[in-house]
Each structure stands twice: as C-alpha cells, then as structure tokens.
Amino acid sequence: MIYVAPNKVIHTAISAPGAGKTQALISQLPALLSAGRCIVLALPTKILSTDIVSRLPVGIDHYVINSDTCYPNPVGPELQAALGSRTNKLIITTHASIFSVPPNMLRGWMLVVDELPAVVGFPDFPFTPSGLDTLFVHTSERDGHLHIREGCDAAIETSLKIFRAAKSGAKQTSMLSEEGAKIFTCLLNGNPVFIGAKMDNGKRHVHAVEEYSHWKIFAAANEVHVLAANIDGSLFDEFAQVHGFTYTRSIFTPVFEGYNSLITIYPAMPKGRDYSKTKAEKIVGDIAINQYETIPFTVVDAILKAALQKTNGTPLLFSNDWAGFKWLNKKTVHVCSIDSRGLNDYQGETDAILLFGGNPSPADKRSLQYLATKYARDFRHAFAVTRLLEPSLQAATRTAVRVRGNTQPITIFVQDERVADYLVKTYMPNAVIDWSFSQITPVQPDGRKVEDPRKAQVFELFDQDMRNADIVRLTGVSRGSATNWKREWKALKAA
C-alpha cells in the first residue's frame, strides 16, 4: 500500500474586509466545478448562506446544509451523506457543521473556509453548590482539576444523552444544566477542566481548555483554502504551527488597492492605558433616565455619550452586554454584534463606535498558562489578536470604508492604543489617530476616584443659592450626590 502523507498545507487568501475574497471564490467556481472539483464552502454563520447563494453564477448547482435546511433533523447525518455520495459538487455549510464530521469524509474534497474558525475554546461557568453537586456525582476534585470518577464514563454519556433528548423536545427530564453538559463533554473529550476556590457567594468557577480537532479535517481534505483578513499572530496561527501546518498563497486572493476614505481614529482611553471592563464600569456619577429614576453613570457611558456628539448619521455601536446603556435611545445607533463578519447592512454609515473588551479573564489567564506549559509557547498576544484586535478591525470595516470608491470621511472610535495601532498597521496605514477624544474620558492615571464632570456645574449652582431639588432636575445628579456635594461645597466655603 502506498502511504499518502496527510495534507499539511493551508492556502490562505489574506486581504482586507470588503476586498472581495468571497467574490474571487465565486467567480472561479464554474471553472473549478467543470474541472471535476468537489468543493465544500464553510461559512461562520448560516445567515451568510442566503447572500452567497444569491451571488452564485446562473446554473451552478449547490446544496445548502445547515440547521435551517435540515430542521427538525440533525445536520450531521445529512452532511455526511452528501459528502460521501458527492452527488452535489458544491456544498455550502457552516464552520460548526463541517468541523463536526469524521475527518475521512473530507477526502476528495476542496475545503474552503470563509473567515478564521475558532480553534480553541475557554468555557467558564460559575456553579452554585447545587450545580456542583450534580457534577460531583460522576467527578472528583483533585489538584484544582475535575476528574471523571472511575467507571463513570458510561453514566456521563447517559446523562448527556438524556440532556440532548430533553433539549430537543423529547418527553424526558434532565437534571443537567447547559453548563454542566458542556463541562461533562469536555471531560469525556479529554480536555482539562479546572475548578476554582469558593467565592463569597458560595459559587465556584469551573472552566476548561477545549482544543478543537479542526486540524484532522484540514489534513484529510485534498486542498484547504482559508479566506481571512489576517492570520498572523492569531490563535489560529499559533495552533497551525503547533500542528505542523504551513501556508501558501490561495488562488482566491483578490487584489486590494487600499481604502480610499479619509479615516480618523479616536482612541477612548488615554495613551498607554488599556481598555478593560474594570475601568469601563467604574462609576463616575449618575444620570436620570426619567423624572423619577437615576442610574449609575460609568466611564463607558461617558465615552459613548461624548462619541455620539461627534458622529454623523446613525453610527454603528459594538459593545459587550455588560455595558447596558439604559439611558440610550437605541434608535440613534445601529446596535451590532461583536462578531460582525458578514454584516453588510450598514455600508452607508460613516461612523463606528467600538466599546467591547477583549482582555483575558482570570480563568482565561489560567487556561493560557496551561497552554503555555503544554506547548512551551506564549499565547497571550494571540488571545488579544483573536478576541480584541481582529474583531475590532472587522467592526470598523462594516462602515462605508469597505465600499470601493467611497470618499466620505470615516470616523472610528476605538477602545485604546492597541486597537488604533492594529488598524493602522493592517489596512488603514493612512488613517489619522487623534488623541483629543481620550482627554475627556473620565479616568485618572493614578487610579484615584474619578471626579464626576458635573460636580463643578453643581458647585456653581450652589453659589447661585439654587435649591437641591432644582439642581437635581437641571443636572440629572441624584439627590444623594447633591446632598453630599453640598456638604463638600460648604466645607470649601468655610475653609
């Protein structure tokens, strides 16, 4: 028997968002299919299938397989059957679906992956004591890890089977939570699962490092193409190197002549300071959302409020769920998902506001340390590229900047210097970084309590002998703040 070495080459089409990578693929499909090639196109989300299908040349037979087209049946069996029969030479599916099939199903196929797939996960859940009791039925704790109890593998598999049946609507009841099912799955797959110390509220964090088996799929396919804005320095890149893959230029790489727009980038955080949830959630005052209720006003609230005063049209807003913005009239912005790949609905807008974080949590840091020890390499920068920098590039380029021929000025409010530099170093070399906006962000470099920007105005109103109730109505500060500040004002006057 002749031994055929597994495929260890990835053809990469690296170019800017909006440069035409997907169109370069579509335009070459007729020739490739006529030459007898069998092609699987894997998209990051099923929503993108409709757009791809609408752009296919007339007469191109295709088969879309995802959870919508297969409902109520599972995707896996139908996708495997299609790959095995090769009746359809062009299959359009999702990342999640193609990376769930047995690797040998990809033999004989050209696999085209649109956008970088996730190659490692860091699931992390806070478990209540009762939730932990459910886990400990089949696991034990040792050296900060959870381990499957001897002889309990089959019991865990049964628990997961019942959970999936109950979730699909079968008349079964499962005591397992979604989080518990994830942790059990990680344990069965041999992934390390860590358990943290008991917190004040009685909960304990359970987290895992979940390395995906995409590389077996890549090795089995006849040819692999990845279309992406950037690979260098990402988690995908790090793990490709770990698994011995090399890159070569893809035939689907489009020509990119650069963005034509005048781009101004406004970092929100002062130079040298990183944006983080801790800094963004710091309370700097309060704000009235109606005549009866006030809510805390945070640093991220102040950033957004100031940014909205400098934008035109309806800006795109990208933020984490923890930034509630209860005071915001959502009709004044387009609220967008942080994972904005394929979002092409707002190409007429010229402004984007990026207020999401991407720093590793304490659990993420422990997971990155585990990987560093396992592979003798540092994954921290790759984490930042994958979780913060690359999503920020994708978000910024959902605007009119991606439209060829656009000459309207583009304004992008970004989190900090890291993101601003990344945009300039990748696809916006002529952009201007303007630090003036960061000067009004209410943060102090020495970590002292941030002064509410309305305090000086309230002191002036006290000087005018205005009543507390009128000051609250005019400025939006809470009654408590007004009372406290009046004491401080009187003390200053008496000094």
Side-chain angles (χ1 to χ4, degrees):
M1 179 182 293
I2 299 176
Y3 173 74
V4 178
N7 173 27
K8 288 285 189 175
V9 177
I10 298 175
H11 300 254
T12 59
I14 307 299
S15 195
K21 296 181 290 292
T22 306
Q23 188 56 45
L25 163 67
I26 291 172
S27 65
Q28 295 188 54
L29 284 176
L32 291 168
L33 295 172
S34 296
R37 305 300 295 273
C38 296
I39 303 171
V40 180
L41 172 58
L43 304 170
T45 66
K46 62 186 178 183
I47 298 173
L48 296 178
S49 299
T50 302
D51 175 64
I52 294 294
V53 169
S54 69
R55 295 159 61 185
L56 291 176
V58 177
I60 294 291
D61 290 331
H62 59 277
Y63 189 12
V64 178
I65 306 177
N66 57 43
S67 58
D68 286 343
T69 64
C70 295
Y71 183 83
N73 300 317
V75 175
E78 188 164 341
L79 180 55
Q80 290 184 48
L83 291 168
S85 69
R86 302 191 192 178
T87 302
N88 299 94
K89 304 300 183 184
L90 173 61
I91 295 175
I92 302 173
T93 188
T94 63
H95 289 182
S97 297
I98 199 62
F99 291 121
S100 297
V101 303
N104 65 332
M105 301 303 303
L106 270 295
R107 289 175 183 165
W109 287 87
M110 172 193 283
L111 173 61
V112 182
V113 183
D114 194 2
E115 304 293 352
L116 288 186
V119 294
V120 61
F122 303 100
D124 175 28
F125 310 109
F127 278 85
T128 62
S130 61
L132 287 170
D133 288 342
T134 303
L135 293 182
F136 285 137
V137 170
H138 302 303
T139 67
S140 61
E141 178 182 351
R142 189 169 67 253
D143 300 327
H145 289 67
L146 286 186
H147 303 270
I148 299 176
R149 293 181 185 272
E150 186 175 353
C152 286
D153 294 67
I156 290 179
E157 290 175 354
T158 300
S159 295
L160 288 171
K161 185 177 180 180
I162 294 172
F163 169 80
R164 296 186 190 108
K167 189 176 179 182
S168 65
K171 294 182 179 179
Q172 295 195 48
T173 302
S174 173
M175 299 298 293
L176 202 58
S177 65
E178 190 89 36
E179 295 81 5
K182 183 66 174 179
I183 294 302
F184 274 168
T185 300
C186 287
L187 286 167
L188 282 179
N189 291 337
N191 295 303
V193 175
F194 308 87
I195 182 167
K198 186 176 181 179
M199 298 183 289
D200 292 340
N201 59 9
K203 295 181 179 180
R204 298 178 70 181
H205 271 269
V206 179
H207 66 99
V209 179
E210 193 176 16
E211 295 182 57
Y212 304 143
S213 58
H214 301 359
W215 312 105
K216 295 179 181 179
I217 296 283
F218 287 156
N222 274 22
E223 195 172 296
V224 176
H225 294 257
V226 173
L227 320 182
N230 178 52
I231 288 181
D232 186 43
S234 65
L235 286 171
F236 182 95
D237 185 28
E238 290 289 338
F239 279 94
Q241 294 178 47
V242 163
H243 290 279
F245 282 81
T246 58
Y247 306 127
T248 190
R249 182 183 173 88
S250 170
I251 59 174
F252 306 126
T253 306
V255 174
F256 178 64
E257 297 178 351
Y259 296 127
N260 299 320
S261 311
L262 175 64
I263 304 170
T264 303
I265 300 172
Y266 291 99
M269 298 298 291
K271 201 165 189 175
R273 300 204 66 190
D274 292 347
Y275 183 87
S276 69
K277 181 180 179 182
T278 301
K279 295 185 182 77
E281 286 192 313
K282 191 172 183 63
I283 297 174
V284 296
D286 41 45
I287 186 171
I289 56 176
N290 55 52
Q291 60 179 329
Y292 306 107
E293 183 181 5
T294 61
I295 58 173
F297 191 71
T298 64
V299 169
V300 71
D301 289 317
I303 293 171
L304 177 58
K305 204 169 187 66
L308 291 174
Q309 295 175 358
K310 295 175 68 70
T311 58
N312 297 305
T314 307
L316 312 187
L317 173 62
F318 302 85
S319 64
N320 296 104
D321 291 338
W322 47 259
F325 302 128
K326 292 182 180 179
W327 53 270
L328 176 66
N329 179 355
K330 297 298 175 62
K331 293 182 180 180
T332 62
V333 298
H334 296 296
V335 178
C336 303
S337 170
I338 294 173
D339 185 357
S340 61
R341 296 174 299 181
L343 180 66
N344 299 319
D345 299 338
Y346 305 120
Q347 296 184 26
E349 299 295 348
T350 58
D351 299 340
I353 305 172
L354 283 51
L355 294 177
F356 56 87
N359 299 325
S361 67
D364 292 332
K365 291 178 181 178
R366 290 191 291 270
S367 297
L368 292 171
Q369 182 56 53
Y370 164 82
L371 290 172
T373 301
K374 180 178 179 180
Y375 294 113
R377 60 199 305 146
D378 192 342
F379 291 88
R380 288 176 297 181
H381 175 69
F383 186 96
V385 171
T386 301
R387 291 288 188 89
L388 174 68
L389 303 181
E390 185 60 20
S392 295
L393 171 64
Q394 293 289 341
T397 54
R398 298 306 108 187
T399 61
V401 72
R402 68 187 291 113
V403 179
R404 294 186 181 182
N406 173 69
T407 56
Q408 297 182 78
I410 302 295
T411 302
I412 307 169
F413 295 87
V414 302
Q415 302 90 322
D416 55 34
E417 185 175 14
R418 296 173 298 172
V419 178
D421 287 346
Y422 187 76
L423 298 184
V424 170
K425 290 176 181 177
T426 51
Y427 296 109
M428 302 179 184
N430 298 319
V432 174
I433 300 178
D434 189 327
W435 287 99
S436 62
F437 184 73
S438 68
Q439 295 173 10
I440 63 175
T441 299
V443 293
Q444 294 290 340
D446 59 4
R448 293 175 300 177
K449 184 176 179 181
V450 179
E451 191 84 294
D452 190 318
R454 296 169 297 176
K455 193 172 184 179
Q457 178 189 2
V458 171
F459 276 23
E460 290 179 4
L461 296 175
F462 285 147
D463 287 335
Q464 299 171 25
D465 294 325
M466 187 172 288
R467 297 183 308 158
N468 283 20
D470 293 329
I471 291 175
V472 167
R473 177 176 53 81
L474 287 172
T475 64
V477 303
S478 67
R479 290 184 176 87
S481 293
T483 300
N484 292 335
W485 290 350
K486 191 159 194 175
R487 292 195 195 100
E488 188 176 337
W489 173 77
K490 287 181 177 179
L492 289 172
K493 288 293 183 182

